[in-house]
Amino acid sequence: MRGRNHLRRTAVFGSAGTLVTATLIAGALAAPTASAQSAHDRDDEAFGATVAAARAAKAGIDWQDCPADWGLEKPIQCGWVSVPVDYAKPNGKQIKIAVDRIGATGTPAERQGALLYNPGGPGGSGMRFPRRVTTKNKIWANAAKAYDFVGFDPRGVGHSAPISCVDPTEFVKGPKLDPVPDSEADKLAQRKLAAEYAKGCAEKSGDMLPYMTTRNTARDLDVIRAALGEKKLNFVGVSYGTYLGAVYGTLYPNHVRRMVVDSVVNPAKSNIWYQANLEQDIAFEGRLKDWMNWVAQNDATFHLGKTYDEVQQQWVTLRAAAKKEPLGGKVGPAELIGFFQSAPYYDSSWIPVAEAWSAYAAGDPQPLIDAAAADLTDTAGNISAENGNAVYTAVECADAPWPTSWKKWDRDNSRLHEQYPFMTWANAWMNLPCATWSAPRQRPTEVKTGKGLPPVLIVQSERDAATPYAGAVELHKRFKGSRLITEKNAGSHGVTGLVNSCINPKVETYLLTGKVDSQDVTCEPHATPQP
């Protein structure tokens, strides 16, 4: 659901539409074998996690040069940490979690340990985090003096026992069905595709699905901490990574040293994950309007309309044209949504999306086609996109119960679509496999403050589309002693990666000293993109 340089939903909207012809499956939604964990099971898993961490602390990590095809330049090193598939059986089947690191750049006296990073998803890889040092990212330069930067592929992701649900080329191929249904027949077709996607996950990755939970990933994170020889965890989580951090902080409050959570998933049990996606639909509409207003303000550059209404009408016209005849035979409404939604996600996409759209309006559709269509020759990228979507689906389906009644999905999304049409149905179809998920699912973690939890730093923009602001407020309530930094009048997802002279020093000071402001802070927004 969430996060930059991570799982980008651009590649995955309407993904079920690639899966199957209409002949393959009936549309009936069977109830999944949902089961809440018993306290005894959780105790077994907690014990198993302790066993696994002790084993990892003894084994350490055998650091080597990274494989050439991983795209991680020296002096970044790579290694593996073994974790149980099922923490209730710590001596049972193991999988290897891929990790990488780059050493702290400062003096030995400056070094404070390892800083781990999760970029979101679920389904995103953190393996590029050490490249913030090799690419000389100025925002992180002082933190890099104090910390080894450590990335990892969470279970099921990338190099860490990757899971899959469909053939990657079929997954990305377009044009897909228009997410917005015109009829009950359209809805039935999408329901069939979603059910077939869930079936494909069970067939290709069924052994892993019961264990693809945020709690297990949090346990993996603690095993990695132990393997690194760290007594306590320093962690930065963005987007879904904030929920991973919240669950880790709940399970292991006295193992946390420093934790920054940026662009926060609302951790309330009632929000995980069905409600979270409905809330997202509303927030995306608001941020799309922000961007379209900006496009109108810059009509001298883009020539797409001088008012929001004019720009919005251009979108309606473009969408209708692509529905009637897919652009270049590849780009229909689903692909357009996948491309355009990056603008409400990230301010860094405001100019590129507007430029491609502007070229189309001026008579040159090729830039928009190139940007929005799948590249079937990008084998590695397509494998990564399919894997990311498989993990996204597996984690969200496994973490919590989902409605199995199609009437509820239909009612909720039909109602939302009336006011928030940009993302609602595309989001619904992406998540609908959870209605027919065959693997067990758990009850969400009750995120709360435990003994020993230090102050957690929360950073959030007011108008974030992917993780609405209320999530940061909710986590702030639940983690006593936490401090909230709000970037007002802003909405880009992933605040700590942006240049902001108010926010960057506060994050840096916290990582270097553990100190937070005496009260919550509101910061002015980062600079608006200038075409």
XYZ file of all heavy atoms in Angstrom, residues 33-93:
451
model
N -10.383 -19.737 5.007
C -10.248 -20.425 6.289
C -9.573 -19.485 7.273
O -8.418 -19.671 7.647
C -9.413 -21.706 6.127
O -8.162 -21.365 5.504
C -10.143 -22.697 5.236
N -10.301 -18.446 7.661
C -9.738 -17.463 8.581
C -9.617 -18.065 9.971
O -10.449 -18.833 10.419
C -10.639 -16.233 8.627
N -8.553 -17.690 10.656
C -8.394 -18.166 12.029
C -7.605 -17.156 12.836
O -6.579 -16.672 12.395
C -7.656 -19.509 12.057
O -6.349 -19.382 11.564
N -8.116 -16.820 13.985
C -7.370 -15.960 14.889
C -6.375 -16.819 15.665
O -6.686 -17.943 16.057
C -8.324 -15.268 15.853
N -5.189 -16.236 15.874
C -4.195 -16.988 16.626
C -4.594 -17.089 18.096
O -5.111 -16.146 18.673
C -2.852 -16.273 16.565
C -2.016 -16.584 15.360
C -0.629 -16.044 15.594
O -0.453 -14.899 15.935
N 0.357 -16.883 15.425
N -4.329 -18.204 18.685
C -4.530 -18.326 20.119
C -3.330 -17.735 20.843
O -2.254 -17.577 20.279
C -4.675 -19.795 20.511
O -3.432 -20.471 20.349
N -3.539 -17.398 22.123
C -2.432 -16.871 22.928
C -1.301 -17.892 23.017
O -0.118 -17.537 23.024
C -2.944 -16.518 24.330
N -1.672 -19.176 23.055
C -0.657 -20.228 23.127
C 0.230 -20.205 21.890
O 1.460 -20.324 21.975
C -1.329 -21.590 23.275
C -0.357 -22.734 23.377
N 0.041 -23.468 22.278
C 0.308 -23.247 24.444
C 0.914 -24.397 22.668
N 1.084 -24.288 23.978
N -0.401 -20.032 20.709
C 0.382 -19.961 19.474
C 1.352 -18.792 19.512
O 2.507 -18.905 19.111
C -0.544 -19.809 18.264
C -1.328 -21.076 17.970
O -0.900 -22.147 18.422
O -2.369 -20.972 17.290
N 0.862 -17.650 19.985
C 1.722 -16.470 20.032
C 2.872 -16.667 21.001
O 3.990 -16.215 20.755
C 0.898 -15.238 20.388
C -0.046 -14.802 19.275
C -0.580 -13.398 19.496
N -1.433 -13.323 20.679
C -2.742 -13.547 20.653
N -3.338 -13.863 19.526
N -3.448 -13.453 21.759
N 2.609 -17.337 22.101
C 3.690 -17.637 23.053
C 4.740 -18.527 22.404
O 5.938 -18.327 22.592
C 3.123 -18.318 24.310
C 2.333 -17.361 25.195
O 2.452 -16.144 24.999
O 1.588 -17.853 26.070
N 4.284 -19.518 21.657
C 5.215 -20.398 20.951
C 6.071 -19.603 19.975
O 7.275 -19.827 19.847
C 4.453 -21.484 20.192
C 3.904 -22.569 21.115
O 4.292 -22.591 22.292
O 3.077 -23.376 20.645
N 5.438 -18.671 19.262
C 6.182 -17.868 18.289
C 7.167 -16.941 18.980
O 8.286 -16.726 18.488
C 5.201 -17.086 17.419
C 4.453 -17.984 16.445
C 3.366 -17.270 15.694
O 2.852 -16.257 16.216
O 3.023 -17.720 14.594
N 6.772 -16.359 20.091
C 7.686 -15.487 20.834
C 8.903 -16.271 21.312
O 10.045 -15.792 21.217
C 6.957 -14.848 22.017
N 8.663 -17.468 21.808
C 9.786 -18.316 22.236
C 10.664 -18.678 21.040
O 11.889 -18.621 21.110
C 9.266 -19.585 22.909
C 10.360 -20.551 23.268
C 11.185 -20.313 24.358
C 10.578 -21.693 22.510
C 12.210 -21.202 24.685
C 11.594 -22.583 22.828
C 12.409 -22.333 23.926
N 10.013 -19.045 19.923
C 10.766 -19.396 18.729
C 11.606 -18.248 18.215
O 12.737 -18.443 17.739
N 11.072 -17.021 18.324
C 11.830 -15.850 17.889
C 13.057 -15.633 18.779
O 14.127 -15.239 18.297
C 10.939 -14.617 17.904
N 12.913 -15.907 20.064
C 14.056 -15.800 20.982
C 15.135 -16.820 20.624
O 16.327 -16.504 20.602
C 13.589 -16.012 22.434
O 12.589 -15.036 22.747
C 14.745 -15.872 23.410
N 14.702 -18.034 20.307
C 15.644 -19.078 19.893
C 16.368 -18.664 18.611
O 17.600 -18.778 18.489
C 14.907 -20.421 19.688
C 15.825 -21.458 19.046
C 14.366 -20.936 21.016
N 15.601 -18.165 17.637
C 16.186 -17.786 16.352
C 17.167 -16.620 16.505
O 18.228 -16.602 15.858
C 15.082 -17.410 15.372
N 16.828 -15.652 17.362
C 17.716 -14.512 17.571
C 19.019 -14.937 18.247
O 20.109 -14.468 17.878
C 17.005 -13.437 18.389
N 18.911 -15.833 19.225
C 20.127 -16.324 19.897
C 21.027 -17.073 18.920
O 22.261 -16.923 18.936
C 19.736 -17.220 21.071
N 20.411 -17.859 18.058
C 21.166 -18.597 17.039
C 21.866 -17.624 16.072
O 23.034 -17.807 15.724
C 20.199 -19.514 16.290
C 20.853 -20.434 15.272
C 19.788 -21.184 14.482
N 19.014 -22.077 15.320
C 17.716 -22.304 15.211
N 17.014 -21.691 14.285
N 17.117 -23.149 16.008
N 21.143 -16.584 15.667
C 21.706 -15.612 14.728
C 22.830 -14.804 15.359
O 23.824 -14.480 14.698
C 20.597 -14.680 14.232
N 22.676 -14.480 16.640
C 23.728 -13.728 17.331
C 25.026 -14.530 17.361
O 26.130 -13.970 17.219
C 23.277 -13.381 18.746
N 24.899 -15.820 17.522
C 26.079 -16.687 17.555
C 26.690 -16.842 16.168
O 27.917 -16.835 16.007
C 25.686 -18.059 18.107
C 26.859 -19.005 18.336
C 26.386 -20.282 18.999
C 27.571 -21.228 19.239
N 27.135 -22.492 19.911
N 25.833 -16.939 15.151
C 26.322 -17.171 13.784
C 26.891 -15.910 13.143
O 27.834 -15.973 12.348
C 25.191 -17.723 12.917
N 26.309 -14.746 13.467
C 26.727 -13.517 12.807
C 26.357 -13.537 11.327
O 25.514 -14.313 10.878
N 27.007 -12.662 10.566
C 26.759 -12.555 9.121
C 28.099 -12.636 8.396
O 29.040 -11.923 8.758
C 26.045 -11.240 8.759
C 24.698 -11.145 9.491
C 25.837 -11.129 7.244
C 24.000 -9.807 9.330
N 28.182 -13.500 7.418
C 29.397 -13.657 6.612
C 29.339 -12.644 5.467
O 28.780 -12.918 4.409
C 29.483 -15.086 6.077
C 30.734 -15.313 5.233
O 31.683 -14.502 5.323
O 30.763 -16.299 4.467
N 29.898 -11.464 5.687
C 29.811 -10.399 4.692
C 30.749 -10.655 3.527
O 31.919 -10.978 3.727
C 30.136 -9.050 5.330
C 29.139 -8.609 6.364
C 29.322 -8.576 7.715
C 27.811 -8.139 6.131
N 28.196 -8.119 8.338
C 27.239 -7.834 7.395
C 27.044 -7.947 4.989
C 25.945 -7.348 7.531
C 25.753 -7.460 5.128
C 25.211 -7.163 6.387
N 30.229 -10.489 2.317
C 31.010 -10.678 1.092
C 30.663 -9.553 0.110
O 29.693 -8.819 0.295
C 30.645 -12.032 0.439
C 30.806 -13.244 1.342
C 32.254 -13.672 1.497
O 33.111 -13.257 0.713
N 32.533 -14.484 2.507
N 31.472 -9.453 -0.961
C 31.068 -8.559 -2.044
C 29.710 -9.009 -2.569
O 29.422 -10.213 -2.665
C 32.084 -8.593 -3.187
C 33.394 -7.908 -2.816
O 33.411 -7.141 -1.837
O 34.398 -8.160 -3.523
N 28.869 -8.051 -2.936
C 27.535 -8.387 -3.417
C 27.604 -9.023 -4.806
O 28.482 -8.692 -5.604
C 26.675 -7.127 -3.486
S 26.425 -6.346 -1.869
N 26.682 -9.944 -5.112
C 26.624 -10.500 -6.468
C 26.533 -9.394 -7.514
O 25.844 -8.386 -7.306
C 25.351 -11.355 -6.442
C 25.183 -11.738 -4.997
C 25.669 -10.557 -4.217
N 27.215 -9.588 -8.613
C 27.319 -8.532 -9.633
C 25.949 -8.079 -10.135
O 25.741 -6.890 -10.420
C 28.179 -9.015 -10.796
N 25.005 -9.016 -10.242
C 23.714 -8.655 -10.827
C 22.740 -8.036 -9.818
O 21.583 -7.777 -10.153
C 23.074 -9.873 -11.504
C 22.792 -11.009 -10.538
O 23.263 -10.954 -9.382
O 22.098 -11.964 -10.939
N 23.203 -7.771 -8.595
C 22.342 -7.111 -7.615
C 22.397 -5.585 -7.750
O 21.611 -4.876 -7.116
C 22.707 -7.531 -6.189
C 22.285 -8.939 -5.876
C 21.950 -9.921 -6.761
C 22.162 -9.516 -4.568
N 21.632 -11.079 -6.093
C 21.759 -10.868 -4.746
C 22.377 -9.049 -3.288
C 21.542 -11.723 -3.673
C 22.175 -9.901 -2.211
C 21.748 -11.231 -2.396
N 23.338 -5.061 -8.498
C 23.418 -3.620 -8.723
C 23.846 -2.824 -7.507
O 23.432 -1.664 -7.346
N 24.671 -3.419 -6.669
C 25.133 -2.767 -5.445
C 26.660 -2.666 -5.486
O 27.368 -3.656 -5.352
C 24.672 -3.564 -4.215
C 23.158 -3.713 -4.076
C 22.815 -4.775 -3.047
C 22.513 -2.376 -3.700
N 27.141 -1.454 -5.674
C 28.567 -1.253 -5.900
C 29.368 -1.356 -4.601
O 28.834 -1.164 -3.503
C 28.802 0.119 -6.551
C 28.394 1.315 -5.696
C 26.933 1.723 -5.872
O 26.106 0.855 -6.191
O 26.622 2.907 -5.676
N 30.657 -1.679 -4.730
C 31.556 -1.656 -3.573
C 31.652 -0.216 -3.075
O 31.538 0.725 -3.854
C 32.936 -2.176 -3.985
C 32.955 -3.640 -4.379
C 34.370 -4.074 -4.782
C 34.399 -5.526 -5.223
N 35.751 -5.963 -5.636
N 31.840 -0.019 -1.766
C 32.148 -1.031 -0.749
C 30.933 -1.643 -0.055
O 31.072 -2.171 1.048
C 32.996 -0.234 0.246
C 32.394 1.147 0.198
C 31.990 1.358 -1.232
N 29.741 -1.557 -0.653
C 28.577 -2.239 -0.075
C 28.848 -3.745 -0.065
O 29.355 -4.298 -1.038
C 27.306 -1.925 -0.877
C 27.011 -0.427 -0.855
C 26.109 -2.711 -0.328
C 25.897 0.004 -1.790
N 28.524 -4.383 1.040
C 28.676 -5.836 1.180
C 27.313 -6.486 1.399
O 26.379 -5.842 1.872
C 29.591 -6.167 2.367
C 31.028 -5.705 2.194
C 31.846 -6.062 3.423
O 31.519 -5.676 4.540
N 32.909 -6.824 3.211
N 27.227 -7.755 1.065
C 25.977 -8.497 1.192
C 26.165 -9.759 2.028
O 27.290 -10.274 2.148
C 25.448 -8.878 -0.194
S 24.862 -7.471 -1.165
N 25.077 -10.249 2.584
C 25.116 -11.470 3.378
C 23.714 -12.024 3.579
O 22.749 -11.550 2.967
N 23.612 -13.027 4.431
C 22.357 -13.731 4.648
C 22.128 -13.959 6.138
O 23.089 -14.173 6.893
C 22.369 -15.094 3.945
C 22.655 -15.028 2.486
C 23.876 -15.145 1.879
C 21.709 -14.807 1.429
N 23.751 -15.019 0.522
C 22.428 -14.820 0.205
C 20.333 -14.623 1.392
C 21.812 -14.636 -1.024
C 19.713 -14.440 0.170
C 20.442 -14.451 -1.026
N 20.871 -13.929 6.534
C 20.472 -14.259 7.900
C 19.370 -15.314 7.806
O 18.364 -15.103 7.117
C 19.954 -13.022 8.656
C 19.451 -13.422 10.040
C 21.052 -11.963 8.774
N 19.553 -16.442 8.484
C 18.549 -17.511 8.455
C 17.466 -17.258 9.499
O 17.761 -16.906 10.644
C 19.206 -18.869 8.733
O 20.026 -19.244 7.648
N 16.209 -17.436 9.071
C 15.067 -17.298 9.985
C 14.126 -18.464 9.749
O 14.084 -19.031 8.656
C 14.314 -15.969 9.770
C 15.225 -14.778 9.994
C 13.690 -15.908 8.383
N 13.354 -18.852 10.757
C 12.365 -19.917 10.545
C 11.199 -19.403 9.701
O 10.776 -18.256 9.856
C 11.885 -20.258 11.964
C 12.703 -19.452 12.907
C 13.343 -18.352 12.138
N 10.687 -20.255 8.843
C 9.445 -19.900 8.142
C 8.331 -19.703 9.163
O 7.580 -18.721 9.121
C 9.057 -20.994 7.131
C 7.679 -20.730 6.541
C 10.095 -21.098 6.024
N 8.252 -20.619 10.119
C 7.220 -20.614 11.149
C 7.915 -20.469 12.499
O 8.641 -21.373 12.928
C 6.428 -21.926 11.083
C 5.349 -22.030 12.149
O 5.198 -21.096 12.961
O 4.650 -23.071 12.171
N 7.719 -19.338 13.165
C 8.418 -19.109 14.433
C 7.939 -20.034 15.542
O 8.629 -20.199 16.554
C 8.302 -17.644 14.851
C 9.364 -16.794 14.185
C 9.102 -16.101 13.014
C 10.646 -16.723 14.712
C 10.077 -15.338 12.397
C 11.630 -15.965 14.106
C 11.344 -15.279 12.952
O 12.329 -14.531 12.340
N 6.768 -20.641 15.380
C 6.328 -21.642 16.353
C 7.159 -22.914 16.252
O 7.114 -23.769 17.145
C 4.853 -21.960 16.154
N 7.920 -23.046 15.153
C 8.800 -24.199 14.935
C 10.190 -23.687 14.569
O 10.615 -23.776 13.411
C 8.241 -25.089 13.821
C 6.858 -25.641 14.130
C 6.290 -26.426 12.944
C 4.884 -26.947 13.247
N 4.276 -27.629 12.072
N 10.915 -23.146 15.556
C 12.193 -22.486 15.250
C 13.249 -23.422 14.685
O 14.198 -22.961 14.040
C 12.625 -21.916 16.608
C 11.911 -22.767 17.621
C 10.599 -23.106 16.990
N 13.090 -24.724 14.900
C 14.044 -25.695 14.351
C 13.530 -26.348 13.070
O 14.147 -27.273 12.543
C 14.360 -26.770 15.396
C 15.033 -26.175 16.625
O 15.915 -25.335 16.508
N 14.587 -26.591 17.808
N 12.398 -25.842 12.584
C 11.840 -26.353 11.337
C 12.457 -25.684 10.132
O 13.608 -25.213 10.164
N 11.712 -25.620 9.039
C 12.227 -25.077 7.784
C 12.712 -23.646 7.958
O 12.049 -22.822 8.579
C 11.144 -25.133 6.705
C 11.634 -24.654 5.347
C 10.537 -24.728 4.286
C 11.052 -24.202 2.948
N 10.007 -24.223 1.895
